[in-house]
Amino acid sequence: MAQRARLEGLDRALRAVGRIPQAMREARTETLQEWAGAVEEGAKARVPRDTGQLHDAIEQRVNDTYGRAEVGVWQDDQLEYSLHVEKGTSSMSDQPYLIPAFDEARPQVTRTYRAAVRRRLGGGG
């Protein structure tokens, strides 16, 4: 005697599974943007301001394609000075602004990513 089973909702379940890769990419981008924004904001709040040029040179870059975010100083005229401020020199004490901003934003990354994935897959968050 043959037995039959009927699966209801299989098409819907397969469509949901098919959405997972895109949802994860979108969540990754959202997380990177939020993290980079928090680091940039934290670094700008901490950096010493004489002329404001170093403050204005701090910027974020998010690359969606490679899933990469960077926060730093890329302006040639501020690059060496930014390192001297962060790490100090023989004649100037260190005034860290970027590393503390990274450290402060780090704990939020996993939580932000999980919530973003849940939202994109319809699980709230």
Side-chain angles (χ1 to χ4, degrees):
M1 171 156 45
Q3 294 206 353
R4 295 179 98 176
R6 183 177 168 155
L7 295 175
E8 292 189 26
L10 182 60
D11 288 340
R12 187 171 49 132
L14 290 174
R15 280 193 304 276
V17 168
R19 287 194 307 267
I20 291 173
Q22 181 64 30
M24 291 178 74
R25 281 190 296 275
E26 291 171 357
R28 177 188 68 190
T29 297
E30 179 184 328
T31 301
L32 290 172
Q33 289 171 340
E34 188 171 316
W35 173 84
V39 172
E40 180 182 4
E41 184 179 308
K44 285 184 172 186
R46 288 176 175 83
V47 71
R49 291 176 86 168
D50 288 332
T51 66
Q53 290 179 330
L54 180 55
H55 173 275
D56 295 343
I58 299 169
E59 57 186 37
Q60 60 175 291
R61 296 178 178 177
V62 177
N63 183 317
D64 299 340
T65 303
Y66 296 106
R68 181 182 195 146
E70 302 170 309
V71 179
V73 174
W74 290 277
Q75 292 179 13
D76 289 338
D77 64 331
Q78 293 297 309
L79 195 54
E80 189 173 340
Y81 177 65
S82 70
L83 182 61
H84 294 320
V85 172
E86 181 79 25
K87 296 293 186 179
T89 67
S90 60
S91 60
M92 181 174 90
S93 63
D94 64 334
Q95 300 175 70
Y97 61 97
L98 198 52
I99 299 299
F102 284 131
D103 291 342
E104 184 179 351
R106 182 177 293 132
Q108 219 29 48
V109 171
T110 303
R111 201 170 317 129
T112 299
Y113 180 70
R114 285 181 182 155
V117 169
R118 277 194 302 272
R119 276 194 306 278
R120 279 165 177 71
L121 292 176

